Amino acid sequence: MAADSVNPFNLSDSEDEAEQRAEDGVDAERSLSDGAPGLPSNNPFSPQADAEPPALLLSSTRTSPSVEGISVAAAAMPSGLAETRVSVDVIAAQLIRDQYILTALEFHTELLESGRELPRLRDYFSNPGNFERQSGTPPIFGLNPTVKHGGGGDRAGSISTLDSLDFARYSDDGNRESDERVAESDTRERNKNYKSNPEIQEPIRPLEKRALNFLVNEYLLKNEYKLSAITFSDENDDQDFELWDDVGLNIPKPPDLLQIYRNCGSALPSPRDTVDVSVGVEAGELTGNYIVQKPDLLQQMVEEFEYQISLLNEEKQSLADQIKKLQRCVLREDGVMALHSTLCGYLPLLFRRLQSLQLYSYSDLFSLSSSEIQSLRRTLDCRSLSSFRLVFIDRELSPAFQQALLSFCKMSADSRLGEEVSRMADNEESVMLMLGRCLPHIVPNVLLAKREELIPLILCTACLHPKPKERDQLLHILFNLIKRPDDEQRRMILTGCVAFARHVGPTRVEAELLPQCWEQINHKYSERRLLVAEACGALASYLPKEIRSSLVLSMLQQMLAEDKADMVREAVVKSLAIIMGYIDDPDKYSQGFELMLLSLGDPSERVVSAIHQVFIPAFAAWTTELGILQTTLIPSLLARIEKLLKQGEHGLDEHKLHMFLSALQSLIPPLFSVVLQNAPFTHRLTLQGDIPPIEVTRFPRPASPLQDVATVVGSREMLSGLLILYDYQLEHEGTTGWDSLLWVVNQLLPQLIEIVGGITVTSTTCVHEFSRFFWRLCRTFGKIFTNTKVKPQFQEILRLSEENVDALTGNAILTKATVPVYATGVLTCYNQDEDRKLLVGFLEDVMTTLSLSHAPLDSLKASFIELGANPVYHELLLTVLWYGVVHTSALVRCTAACMFELLVKGVNETLVAQRVVPALITLSSDPEMSVRISTIPAFGTIMEMVTHKELLERVKMQLASFLEDPQYQDQHSLHMEIIRTFGRVGPNTEPRFRDEFVLPHLHKLALDNNAQTTERKRIDIATQLFEAYSALSCCFISEEVMVNHFLPGLRCLRADMEQLSPEHEVILSSMIKEGETKVENRGIGQAEGSVSIAASLVGEDAKTKFLSKMGQLTTSGAMLANVFQRKK
């Protein structure tokens, strides 16, 4: 066995096998002693000699032998052996080999205390592989220990771990011999059981598996099984096969599998000469081959016994030295025991008194007189001094010499640290005092990345320290422990603060923790302020309620208003929500409402999201308890929305409207919970029996768990039971006496519908916000409520007839946002056939009514835009438009053509080809010219949005027919619409379509406009051409098209502008000159194609005039035409 390691692949024999081996060794030694005349008669391997020496071998757990017995044993030793000193390494090796693990461990401990650490024992006890074997595990590599199979309490024959030692077997109660007999019979029984079941084997253990994996991988690589080795390595990716140390065994790498196989599992020779103990086997169990090898076995046994003889001789010498030392101690035993009986009850101040007497050893105690002993007893009190121990110096030295000698020890008590080291704590209070003094010096020297490891120590000390000033200093260290704590570090600190608060109570939290938060409220690092904001919420439940609703609320309010970091304000909002969950002062409602409005107006989306997810549900729960959710909170938000609409006649603040409306939307779940919990059927609710689960789509997806109605009510089972009773009540029993629901029906819904009628229908944002609000309201309150309470109120207002539309005043309800909100917010809540039919019918009626009444189509367009954003409704909208295509009225057909332009932008190309283009071609051949003209914007949008070539060719042919067919030659409105469409879609359409179709036809239209005799028409066409050319000048135009169409068209337009608007003639001249310069330099292809020609004007004066005029222009042709009027 190597001196620095213990090989787990060569485990020692089991205890029972060692006993059997000892018996065989005695028989063999007797036979050998008969033929060896030189051996002494008192052979140590005789049964009498072998029985006791192990009990005398440094086993401190047993009683010391008597002096007489030791003397006799020493006298019986040969003089030569008595003088031989036993090597501690030899003793350690023998203890490990014979599996005296406890004795070896105690031997190792005593050597450590005396400063003589033995490498063999250190390596053995530091190797986990030596103690890993569990019950019923046969040793690997061919070893065959005795094993008992059975229950979970069975143990292996060889002692593998300290936990599995049978302490009763080594007790000193005198029953050891009988215990050994019982153990021997148990061992033989286990041998029989194990041999009768050779296939029973314990599962492989982790370290065994890793060691075998390493050897198998090494075998595969050495024998060129590279692919298998790679696969094997991939399947064991948690192990590094390059390093043996990764296995985890503190031993050298064993030989490879081939070497182990050739040795048939027997122990391989160690680096130095050792003697292995053979396994004891009964004669009847030996095979034929084993009997042939018996001479080798005998030779090995002889060598082993010779080695044991030398060990026992060394042991005897060691015992003889101990006997001499014990004999010297016995002479003074009486005096020491007498002094011990005198001082045993008076230890507390013994150390200080003995120092004053200058006593440093037991020898000095013998010099005390009886009067000094009595004086010593009188001066002692009852304080604890259990850690004091007299130094035993077995030398005849004077106290002065000993003191002078000890002065050479390098000890220091002059420094702070020296004082702390010399002043040992002996109770809880002194430990806390010591930690309070030392921690401020320890923290600055700990790495920042590891300082969170100090949090438990700091908190525990701050919690138990008796001095308030020291506690305050420790908590200050805690909050300043890490300069910029990350999320995990803040969580650790907050967890510690909560544990501290739970232990010390509200008073100390207020007095000790809150001041630390207040100090950090304006810290320069946002992470520290974030810690304060989170701490206020975490400690809310541990603070006195007066402090919670005053100081803490004020701190958070200040941080919400002043802190610039989004994440800090977000944490403040969440902590405020927690405060709202514990606050019980009704006077704080107004402050909470203002905090909600302040947070809703925050520019950060994180803060606004937190207010909806956490604060509003908590605030609503509090107002529900106060009974003011329906009477105060919701009416306050509605009043602000109405005020905002009145102030926004000349410009609505859409951000504030979104802010208030989103708050109302977050209040829908708590409002529905109030309706359920105050319903007349609550007393009939029973949770027994099978309650059907709630449909997944019953409620809108909540933004957070706090907005889940099931969470607000209490549980999903309770909510399911309430919903069943709720639907039954609405459908069969009505709402009589149901005040909370009647408030929703009679007050909330009418006021909301009135507000919707006052918003601007052209504001897409407002329409979308109100649509989403009504959608969530209807989905939350259910289909029965929507059909019986919501839809009737809208239908009563939206009486679809021509008389309800007043096109002159513009105040008709069908031209307001009520139409799109009802269509997209109420009629789309449910998607069954009857719901879709109702939606289609409503849109058809609105389209027909608005068209026949010559009313603005803004409300219908808003509905199409909102519904068109969802592909689910594309087929439905196409159905509505086809109804308009085949309508008998030309006005309705014109409206349908206009609606196609809105729908094309969101519909896929398949639907465009199959449904949209055929409908437009049908309308383009309509008998009414106005219907044909109405299709041009939709055709242009198709050219802009679609990439399918065949589809584009069909549209191109249709537009060409409008431009080239003689019947349209004098259609001024048609030409105006085509020029306007070309200017809108030209920059975004395909270059080929632009170069081959758009620019040539614009050139032709400009040329024809020069011959126009009607000045009004000429101005209109020139206005639209100028806008179109200005838009197309931003595009890259090839040299050929520039020369043949673009520049000639500009020259024609300039000819008109010379007479109509000389100021704009300068702009056109600059554009023409820039184009001609590029053509002359042949650099159009390489030039910056995306740079507008109009942006490069010659002369600062012309540029200034152009920009000032263009700033006054709008997309309206009428407004732009005024600019080109001749000066009078």
Side-chain angles (χ1 to χ4, degrees):
M1 183 180 294
D4 58 346
S5 64
V6 179
N7 190 348
F9 298 102
N10 187 17
L11 301 174
S12 59
D13 303 310
S14 66
E15 179 181 336
D16 300 309
E17 291 166 339
E19 295 175 2
Q20 182 66 32
R21 183 190 61 218
E23 296 176 1
D24 295 342
V26 170
D27 297 336
E29 184 59 30
R30 287 174 180 170
S31 62
L32 290 174
S33 62
D34 295 339
L39 292 176
S41 59
N42 54 349
N43 189 349
F45 285 95
S46 63
Q48 294 81 4
D50 190 51
E52 193 59 31
L56 300 176
L57 186 59
L58 298 174
S59 179
S60 61
T61 60
R62 300 174 184 145
T63 56
S64 301
S66 63
V67 178
E68 292 79 7
I70 295 175
S71 302
V72 172
M77 289 182 183
S79 60
L81 294 177
E83 296 175 359
T84 304
R85 186 171 184 81
V86 179
S87 171
V88 292
D89 187 71
V90 173
I91 297 173
Q94 183 65 25
L95 290 174
I96 293 174
R97 179 176 290 106
D98 290 343
Q99 289 293 294
Y100 293 115
I101 303 300
L102 283 180
T103 306
L105 178 61
E106 186 160 357
F107 187 34
H108 178 53
T109 304
E110 292 177 350
L111 289 176
L112 285 177
E113 291 179 352
S114 63
R116 300 165 59 196
E117 184 179 21
L118 193 60
R120 179 188 298 273
L121 294 175
R122 178 196 63 202
D123 295 342
Y124 182 83
F125 288 109
S126 64
N127 185 0
N130 294 328
F131 308 103
E132 194 181 31
R133 291 181 49 198
Q134 300 173 356
S135 63
T137 305
I140 60 176
F141 297 130
L143 296 181
N144 184 25
T146 56
V147 181
K148 176 182 177 181
H149 296 278
D154 299 340
R155 298 184 300 122
S158 65
I159 299 172
S160 301
T161 62
L162 295 178
D163 296 336
S164 64
L165 286 174
D166 189 354
F167 292 98
R169 181 173 293 185
Y170 301 97
S171 62
D172 296 325
D173 56 0
N175 295 328
R176 178 184 176 189
E177 184 176 357
S178 60
D179 291 343
E180 288 179 343
R181 294 194 191 103
V182 175
E184 182 177 358
S185 63
D186 290 345
T187 301
R188 293 183 177 177
E189 183 65 25
R190 288 197 298 268
N191 273 331
K192 294 178 182 178
N193 293 338
Y194 185 79
K195 291 162 188 172
S196 62
N197 297 278
E199 296 181 358
I200 297 177
Q201 187 175 4
E202 183 190 14
I204 189 169
R205 293 182 295 277
L207 286 177
E208 291 178 345
K209 181 179 179 181
R210 294 177 69 88
L212 288 174
N213 286 348
F214 186 90
L215 295 176
V216 169
N217 184 73
E218 182 184 45
Y219 168 77
L220 293 174
L221 290 175
K222 285 184 178 180
N223 291 275
E224 300 299 328
Y225 297 113
K226 295 184 178 179
L227 292 179
S228 299
I230 292 173
T231 304
F232 187 73
S233 178
D234 291 339
E235 292 176 346
N236 297 276
D237 55 355
D238 60 337
Q239 186 171 350
D240 185 3
F241 289 111
E242 299 294 332
L243 297 174
W244 166 254
D245 292 340
D246 183 67
V247 173
L249 295 173
N250 188 20
I251 62 169
K253 186 180 82 65
D256 56 19
L257 286 179
L258 180 60
Q259 197 69 17
I260 294 173
Y261 173 75
R262 288 175 176 173
N263 287 275
C264 298
S266 61
L268 300 174
S270 58
R272 72 174 193 176
D273 294 334
T274 59
V275 177
D276 295 330
V277 180
S278 60
V279 180
V281 184
E282 296 181 2
E285 299 174 355
L286 297 176
T287 62
N289 295 333
Y290 193 86
I291 298 175
V292 173
Q293 298 176 358
K294 190 170 183 180
D296 296 335
L297 176 62
L298 294 177
Q299 180 63 29
Q300 185 179 359
M301 294 174 61
V302 170
E303 294 175 357
E304 178 188 355
F305 293 149
E306 290 177 351
Y307 175 70
Q308 290 189 2
I309 290 172
S310 63
L311 289 180
L312 292 176
N313 289 334
E314 294 177 358
E315 179 187 355
K316 289 179 181 179
Q317 179 61 37
S318 175
L319 291 175
D321 294 339
Q322 292 184 28
I323 289 172
K324 291 181 181 179
K325 186 177 295 186
L326 290 173
Q327 285 175 341
R328 291 197 301 270
C329 294
V330 168
L331 298 176
R332 303 176 185 177
E333 185 175 359
D334 295 337
V336 173
M337 293 304 295
L339 180 61
H340 173 72
S341 61
T342 305
L343 301 178
C344 62
Y346 301 94
L347 292 177
L349 290 181
L350 181 59
F351 181 63
R352 185 163 62 243
R353 180 58 177 166
L354 293 178
Q355 279 186 330
S356 65
L357 295 175
Q358 295 185 350
L359 298 178
Y360 295 95
S361 69
Y362 284 120
S363 303
D364 299 326
L365 294 176
F366 302 142
S367 62
L368 293 176
S369 62
S370 58
S371 60
E372 289 176 329
I373 292 176
Q374 293 297 330
S375 174
L376 182 62
R377 175 182 293 178
R378 286 193 299 271
T379 58
L380 297 179
D381 57 21
C382 297
R383 299 179 187 176
S384 173
L385 200 61
S386 59
S387 60
F388 171 71
R389 180 181 295 176
L390 290 175
V391 181
F392 182 85
I393 302 178
D394 187 25
R395 295 289 300 279
E396 298 295 337
L397 301 177
S398 65
F401 184 84
Q402 292 182 15
Q403 184 176 5
L405 183 62
L406 293 174
S407 66
F408 286 95
C409 295
K410 294 183 179 179
M411 296 184 297
S412 173
D414 299 334
S415 63
R416 177 195 61 81
L417 187 58
E419 280 189 30
E420 296 294 349
V421 172
S422 61
R423 181 175 22 174
M424 296 300 293
D426 56 358
N427 56 34
E428 178 182 316
E429 182 178 352
S430 58
V431 171
M432 291 298 108
L433 293 173
M434 181 270 292
L435 289 174
R437 293 189 302 268
C438 294
L439 278 174
H441 302 280
I442 295 173
V443 171
N445 298 301
V446 178
L447 292 174
L448 289 174
K450 296 296 181 181
R451 284 192 179 179
E452 63 266 21
E453 301 292 339
L454 294 172
I455 294 175
L457 196 60
I458 295 173
L459 283 168
C460 184
T461 307
C463 184
L464 300 176
H465 202 285
K467 297 181 179 180
K469 185 177 180 180
E470 297 294 332
R471 296 199 301 267
D472 182 72
Q473 182 183 8
L474 289 169
L475 292 176
H476 180 76
I477 291 174
L478 175 67
F479 276 83
N480 294 272
L481 188 64
I482 303 169
K483 183 184 293 185
R484 307 182 77 165
D486 56 24
D487 291 342
E488 184 63 28
Q489 291 167 337
R490 288 197 307 275
R491 276 196 289 268
M492 290 299 102
I493 294 175
L494 290 177
T495 303
C497 289
V498 170
F500 178 88
R502 189 186 303 117
H503 185 83
V504 302
T507 304
R508 281 185 59 182
V509 174
E510 175 190 353
E512 298 177 12
L513 273 182
L514 276 188
Q516 302 299 330
C517 295
W518 186 262
E519 289 180 5
Q520 305 275 336
I521 197 172
N522 292 316
H523 199 278
K524 65 178 181 178
Y525 292 130
S526 59
E527 291 84 357
R528 300 279 278 276
R529 303 195 303 274
L530 180 59
L531 176 63
V532 173
E534 293 172 340
C536 289
L539 298 174
S541 60
Y542 302 98
L543 289 168
K545 62 179 183 179
E546 299 81 6
I547 297 298
R548 187 166 50 223
S549 59
S550 57
L551 176 61
V552 178
L553 194 61
S554 300
M555 289 172 57
L556 293 173
Q557 185 174 8
Q558 177 183 342
M559 296 181 72
L560 181 63
E562 299 177 359
D563 204 291
K564 297 180 180 180
D566 295 349
M567 61 179 181
V568 176
R569 297 198 305 276
E570 179 187 12
V572 167
V573 168
K574 293 179 180 178
S575 294
L576 282 171
I578 298 174
I579 295 294
M580 292 300 156
Y582 289 98
I583 201 168
D584 56 359
D585 185 2
D587 296 335
K588 296 296 180 181
Y589 164 77
S590 58
Q591 186 177 359
F593 185 76
E594 294 301 324
L595 288 173
M596 182 184 71
L597 296 181
L598 179 63
S599 303
L600 286 170
D602 196 280
S604 172
E605 293 184 3
R606 297 177 58 175
V607 178
V608 175
S609 177
I611 197 75
H612 289 294
Q613 293 179 4
V614 188
F615 183 88
I616 291 181
F619 189 61
W622 183 38
T623 56
T624 300
E625 292 181 17
L626 296 176
I628 59 175
L629 176 66
Q630 295 177 312
T631 60
T632 305
L633 179 56
I634 294 179
S636 298
L637 290 173
L638 292 174
R640 279 169 169 76
I641 293 175
E642 291 177 336
K643 181 180 179 181
L644 188 65
L645 293 176
K646 291 179 181 179
Q647 296 174 350
E649 293 179 355
H650 303 290
L652 180 63
D653 190 344
E654 294 183 355
H655 175 70
K656 283 190 176 180
L657 179 63
H658 167 72
M659 183 178 76
F660 296 139
L661 203 55
S662 63
L664 272 178
Q665 185 170 308
S666 297
L667 290 174
I668 293 175
L671 175 62
F672 184 62
S673 302
V674 170
V675 170
L676 288 179
Q677 292 170 342
N678 292 277
F681 52 75
T682 53
H683 65 279
R684 302 200 305 265
L685 176 65
T686 58
L687 299 180
Q688 299 177 356
D690 295 334
I691 299 178
I694 303 172
E695 295 182 5
V696 178
T697 58
R698 172 61 179 83
F699 292 100
R701 180 177 298 177
S704 74
L706 295 177
Q707 287 190 350
D708 190 350
V709 180
T711 304
V712 179
V713 171
S715 66
R716 298 197 68 83
E717 293 77 12
M718 183 177 293
L719 177 60
S720 178
L722 288 173
L723 287 177
I724 295 173
L725 297 173
Y726 169 79
D727 291 338
Y728 183 83
Q729 182 82 18
L730 285 177
E731 191 171 6
H732 298 94
E733 298 182 4
T735 59
T736 305
W738 198 347
D739 295 337
S740 57
L741 184 65
L742 289 174
W743 178 86
V744 176
V745 175
N746 298 329
Q747 297 186 40
L748 178 62
L749 282 176
Q751 190 173 1
L752 285 171
I753 294 174
E754 182 180 357
I755 291 173
V756 168
I759 67 175
T760 306
V761 69
T762 55
S763 175
T764 307
T765 304
C766 294
V767 171
H768 176 73
E769 291 293 335
F770 274 98
S771 297
R772 298 308 300 167
F773 174 81
F774 271 97
W775 187 87
R776 295 187 71 90
L777 179 69
C778 294
R779 286 301 299 269
T780 301
F781 278 79
K783 187 172 184 178
I784 299 176
F785 178 86
T786 303
N787 293 334
T788 59
K789 305 299 179 184
V790 181
K791 290 181 181 179
Q793 294 197 32
F794 273 98
Q795 292 168 356
E796 183 180 356
I797 296 174
L798 297 171
R799 293 190 300 272
L800 297 175
S801 63
E802 297 182 20
E803 291 75 12
N804 291 333
V805 180
D806 187 354
L808 296 177
T809 61
N811 294 327
I813 194 67
L814 285 182
T815 62
K816 298 295 183 180
T818 309
V819 170
V821 170
Y822 176 60
T824 62
V826 178
L827 296 181
T828 61
C829 287
Y830 301 96
N831 202 26
Q832 297 179 359
D833 291 339
E834 60 270 17
D835 301 309
R836 297 176 69 88
K837 290 179 181 179
L838 184 61
L839 177 59
V840 170
F842 174 75
L843 292 175
E844 291 174 352
D845 292 343
V846 170
M847 182 172 62
T848 302
T849 304
L850 293 178
S851 300
L852 296 177
S853 304
H854 300 277
L857 302 177
D858 293 334
S859 60
L860 185 63
K861 289 180 179 179
S863 302
F864 270 71
I865 291 173
E866 187 72 18
L867 290 172
N870 189 349
V872 174
Y873 298 107
H874 287 172
E875 287 280 357
L876 183 145
L877 294 176
L878 288 171
T879 303
V880 174
L881 291 182
W882 184 253
Y883 167 82
V885 170
V886 299
H887 200 276
T888 57
S889 172
L891 295 174
V892 177
R893 295 197 299 272
C894 287
T895 301
C898 295
M899 293 298 105
F900 274 115
E901 179 188 356
L902 299 175
L903 192 59
V904 167
K905 296 180 181 179
V907 176
N908 60 65
E909 294 189 5
T910 303
L911 284 178
V912 172
Q914 295 176 355
R915 302 285 299 275
V916 177
V917 172
L920 289 175
I921 292 176
T922 301
L923 292 174
S924 65
S925 59
D926 194 89
E928 294 290 334
M929 185 59 65
S930 60
V931 177
R932 301 181 191 182
I933 295 173
S934 299
T935 62
I936 294 175
F939 281 124
T941 304
I942 293 175
M943 297 298 298
E944 182 182 13
M945 305 300 296
V946 177
T947 59
H948 194 268
K949 291 184 178 180
E950 295 181 0
L951 194 58
L952 291 176
E953 286 297 327
R954 293 177 63 185
V955 174
K956 181 179 176 182
M957 291 174 59
Q958 185 60 47
L959 291 175
S961 68
F962 286 145
L963 290 168
E964 299 171 2
D965 195 328
Q967 64 174 326
Y968 302 114
Q969 184 175 358
D970 297 330
Q971 294 295 327
H972 178 71
S973 299
L974 185 143
H975 293 159
M976 288 282 293
E977 192 64 45
I978 287 179
I979 295 172
R980 187 183 299 112
T981 301
F982 281 173
R984 176 173 59 86
V985 305
N988 301 321
T989 190
E990 287 190 352
R992 181 181 175 184
F993 175 74
R994 181 174 59 243
D995 294 344
E996 297 179 359
F997 188 81
V998 174
L999 289 175
H1001 283 92
L1002 285 178
H1003 177 205
K1004 184 176 182 302
L1005 289 169
L1007 184 62
D1008 293 341
N1009 197 50
N1010 291 148
Q1012 178 62 250
T1013 58
T1014 305
E1015 184 177 353
R1016 179 73 260 174
K1017 293 181 179 180
R1018 189 178 181 186
I1019 292 174
D1020 293 341
I1021 295 294
T1023 300
Q1024 292 299 327
L1025 285 173
F1026 181 82
E1027 291 182 355
Y1029 274 111
S1030 298
L1032 291 170
S1033 66
C1034 301
C1035 306
F1036 174 78
I1037 303 173
S1038 65
E1039 182 179 355
E1040 180 182 359
V1041 176
M1042 177 72 75
V1043 173
N1044 296 332
H1045 299 294
F1046 189 78
L1047 290 178
L1050 285 176
R1051 292 188 184 100
C1052 294
L1053 181 59
R1054 184 177 61 176
D1056 290 334
M1057 291 301 179
E1058 287 177 354
Q1059 301 178 14
L1060 301 175
S1061 178
E1063 295 178 354
H1064 292 81
E1065 186 268 337
V1066 177
I1067 299 173
L1068 291 171
S1069 298
S1070 300
M1071 296 170 65
I1072 293 170
K1073 185 176 181 179
E1074 183 72 20
E1076 291 174 346
T1077 303
K1078 291 183 179 296
V1079 171
E1080 291 175 358
N1081 296 332
R1082 299 180 181 275
I1084 294 180
Q1086 293 77 22
E1088 298 178 357
S1090 61
V1091 178
S1092 173
I1093 299 175
S1096 303
L1097 300 177
V1098 180
E1100 289 296 328
D1101 294 338
K1103 182 183 294 186
T1104 304
K1105 291 181 180 180
F1106 172 73
L1107 294 176
S1108 64
K1109 287 292 184 182
M1110 292 301 294
Q1112 302 172 6
L1113 302 181
T1114 65
T1115 57
S1116 172
M1119 295 291 293
L1120 187 60
N1122 295 331
V1123 180
F1124 295 102
Q1125 293 291 338
R1126 288 179 180 273
K1127 290 187 176 181
K1128 301 295 183 182

